[in-house]
Amino acid sequence: MTQTTDATPWIVTDAGADTRKHAPATLRNREAIAAVLREVLPATGLVLEVASGSGEHCAYLAPAFDHLEWQPSDPDAGGRASIAAWCHGLANVRPPIDLDAAAEGWPIARADAVLCVNMVHISPWRATLGLLAGAAQILPTQGPLLLYGPYRRDGHATAPSNEAFDDSLKARNPDWGLRRVEDVVAAARGNGLIFDQLVEMPANNLMLVFRRD
């Protein structure tokens, strides 16, 4: 059976007082993401998650990597409330911060790794450029930046499900859509981030790993 790209946005878990949101894709991709992180993340330090969304990835990953401190973030107040609810009681998770990837000044001075899941295609290109510039400013030498999501690649046919997903994104916002790996790599290089590896992921997704030069 052909797998399709995770395209469903977060939803409120119920109509009651619960502030937690739910992104169905999280349950499908979190183990695969964790497998890559085990190979890439440093032994100690702080992991900044940009665009944490519902907070479910942080709530799953932080206990699995309890030797690291986690800093979730999101520019949406409702998202930050959801993150706080999902991560309540996790000793190695800081309170979520208001961070807009496209902003010139980030409210964090340093991090030992930066993770961003499913933002690059659901945001304007300037957000990706801001993400690359911001990560380059706060990462140490050889610190990793990990970008997960669907991409286009030169010389590789785009899956029909990804083409349909791209059409749906552009219908919602013409500034959204799947980005070329080559464009992201070039923009990263311009910010002193060296392309380290590409990992094939389930559901026609990729993990792009960069290192601070």
Side-chain angles (χ1 to χ4, degrees):
M1 182 172 62
T2 302
Q3 290 181 302
T4 58
T5 298
D6 297 325
T8 307
W10 69 28
I11 56 176
V12 178
T13 53
D14 58 46
D18 193 348
T19 58
R20 292 178 299 170
K21 300 177 186 294
H22 172 54
T26 305
L27 297 178
R28 298 191 291 270
N29 63 34
R30 64 187 188 180
E31 292 181 5
I33 291 172
V36 177
L37 296 185
R38 290 188 191 99
E39 302 298 322
V40 175
L41 290 182
T44 60
L46 175 67
V47 180
L48 168 66
E49 184 184 10
V50 176
S52 299
S54 66
E56 292 168 279
H57 279 121
C58 187
Y60 175 79
L61 294 170
F65 297 87
D66 57 4
H67 56 289
L68 293 164
E69 191 172 9
W70 291 78
Q71 176 61 77
S73 71
D74 204 89
D76 178 74
R80 294 194 300 276
S82 178
I83 295 163
W86 278 108
C87 296
H88 178 72
L90 296 179
N92 63 325
V93 179
R94 294 181 177 183
I97 57 175
D98 181 358
L99 189 156
D100 180 353
E104 290 187 11
W106 283 10
I108 182 170
R110 55 159 295 276
D112 298 287
V114 177
L115 171 66
C116 185
V117 176
N118 284 334
M119 183 205 83
V120 170
H121 57 289
I122 313 182
S123 61
W125 178 238
R126 65 178 180 275
T128 298
L129 296 178
L131 170 63
L132 298 171
Q137 289 293 319
I138 67 172
L139 285 171
T141 300
Q142 291 301 302
L145 166 65
L146 300 100
L147 307 181
Y148 171 91
Y151 294 88
R152 297 184 181 277
R153 276 189 287 173
D154 290 351
H156 292 75
T158 305
S161 58
N162 275 4
E163 292 286 7
F165 184 33
D166 187 53
D167 289 341
S168 70
L169 289 171
K170 290 176 178 174
R172 291 163 61 189
N173 188 321
D175 290 332
W176 295 1
L178 273 63
R179 313 300 180 186
R180 292 173 62 247
V181 168
E182 293 76 13
D183 291 337
V184 178
V185 169
R189 187 184 306 116
N191 284 283
L193 296 165
I194 305 303
F195 184 48
D196 182 40
Q197 60 176 305
L198 178 153
V199 184
E200 300 276 359
M201 304 291 282
N204 299 315
N205 288 290
L206 302 173
M207 182 74 85
L208 308 183
V209 182
F210 299 88
R211 297 278 180 178
R212 181 72 174 89
D213 192 12

